[in-house]
Amino acid sequence: MLFKFNTLIQLLFLVLILLNCTSQSNKDAADFFLKGNQALGQKNYAEALRLYDEAIAKNADFSDAYLNKGITLLKLGRVEDAYEVLTEAIRIDPTLTQANLVRSESALYLGRLKEAREDLLQIEKQYQDSTRFHLVKGNLLDAEGNPSLAIPEYDAALRLSKTNVEAYVNRGAVYYRMGSYAEAKLDFETAVALDPAQPQALNNLGLIASKNKQWPQAIGYFDQVLSRDPAEPYSLNNKAYALLQTRKGEEARTLIEKSLDKLPKNGYALRNLGIYYQQKGNISEALSAFNKAIEIAEPVELLYGLAGQAYFAQKNTSEACKIWKQGVVLKDSLATAEAAKYCR
């Protein structure tokens, strides 16, 4: 499965320290705010959240504290809570455009594309020179089904910052899905050059090596991810696919099961489990796994072609052709080839 950044969070440390505040309460709020920023910079998110809450308790209208609390909640994966807190920051200070930018990212993560677009439109004029703005706008356009329009936004993000790793990874992901593998590979390699531990780029380089049937090279990329995060479900499954192609089925099955433990509804992992059973000659178990993947209703390469092959192995040509024809509509290359050979 292809990786791209989903949660796009930038630390926006505001320098406002309430120098003009005279009350002790506001001075205390500023002190908690600065300590919260320090904790956030150290990735001590629980402590940062506590300190921002202390700042807000001292000054209920401290919009900057709401903003950085929202960023902290995003870091903790509490996206819905973050969206609400950022909305409060904007209510208190409608000129706090940083909050619109971060809220647009949280809306995008939640699938609220209309709200994300509204936030970006509101701040577009002020943020034309912001690499982050163009990155988020590119992600929105891609999510809206306009990948060709997303690429110029990623280009703009990279013109403004040659070190924007997320822009390289996400532009590379768009190129990959468009079949422009050379461009995708260059973007992923650039991302890794900037950040050698970048998991999305490493995983995606492994996928490109897999497409080229460079199985040892692909496994090497996936292992680089797994050496830092042994339970990362996508790289576990992608490595398993490479192992299946080199007939290391039992090792592959172990990785697939670990991946499914983390993500039970990963269609690619279920497809790969089906391939394992297919290679073992257990066609009924293979079909069970393939059909579970189909039920998830997410695009999975070769899935319909493989499921049709399993039905064909059971001499159920009518069911094989039915599923291959479904695959043709979904642009499954294997299904298209098999349907052309066996179905009228």
Side-chain angles (χ1 to χ4, degrees), residues 152-172:
E153 293 298 330
Y154 294 135
D155 293 344
L158 291 166
R159 280 196 300 272
L160 290 161
S161 173
K162 298 293 186 186
T163 59
N164 190 332
V165 173
E166 294 171 50
Y168 284 114
V169 173
N170 289 3
R171 187 176 69 177

Side-chain angles (χ1 to χ4, degrees), residues 291-306:
N291 285 324
K292 284 179 184 176
I294 289 169
E295 285 170 13
I296 294 171
E298 290 180 353
V300 175
E301 289 180 79
L302 309 180
L303 175 59
Y304 285 80
L306 291 163

Side-chain angles (χ1 to χ4, degrees), residues 82-132:
Y83 189 90
E84 292 179 9
V85 168
L86 293 162
T87 299
E88 182 64 13
I90 294 165
R91 185 195 67 78
I92 294 167
D93 182 1
T95 69
L96 189 60
T97 54
Q98 295 97 328
N100 291 96
L101 181 59
V102 183
R103 189 173 69 171
S104 71
E105 298 183 60
S106 61
L108 188 55
Y109 189 89
L110 292 166
R112 299 176 185 172
L113 304 187
K114 179 174 177 287
E115 289 89 341
R117 175 165 285 282
E118 287 171 354
D119 269 325
L120 292 180
L121 283 172
Q122 187 169 335
I123 63 175
E124 189 161 17
K125 288 182 181 177
Q126 301 99 307
Y127 277 79
Q128 280 306 302
D129 293 329
S130 164
T131 184
R132 194 75 190 177

Side-chain angles (χ1 to χ4, degrees), residues 259-285:
S259 179
L260 286 169
D261 283 342
K262 294 281 286 186
L263 282 178
K265 293 189 176 181
N266 181 348
Y268 276 88
L270 289 165
R271 180 205 67 180
N272 291 348
L273 186 62
I275 293 171
Y276 165 80
Y277 283 121
Q278 213 169 27
Q279 289 181 353
K280 299 290 285 185
N282 190 336
I283 302 303
S284 61
E285 287 292 342

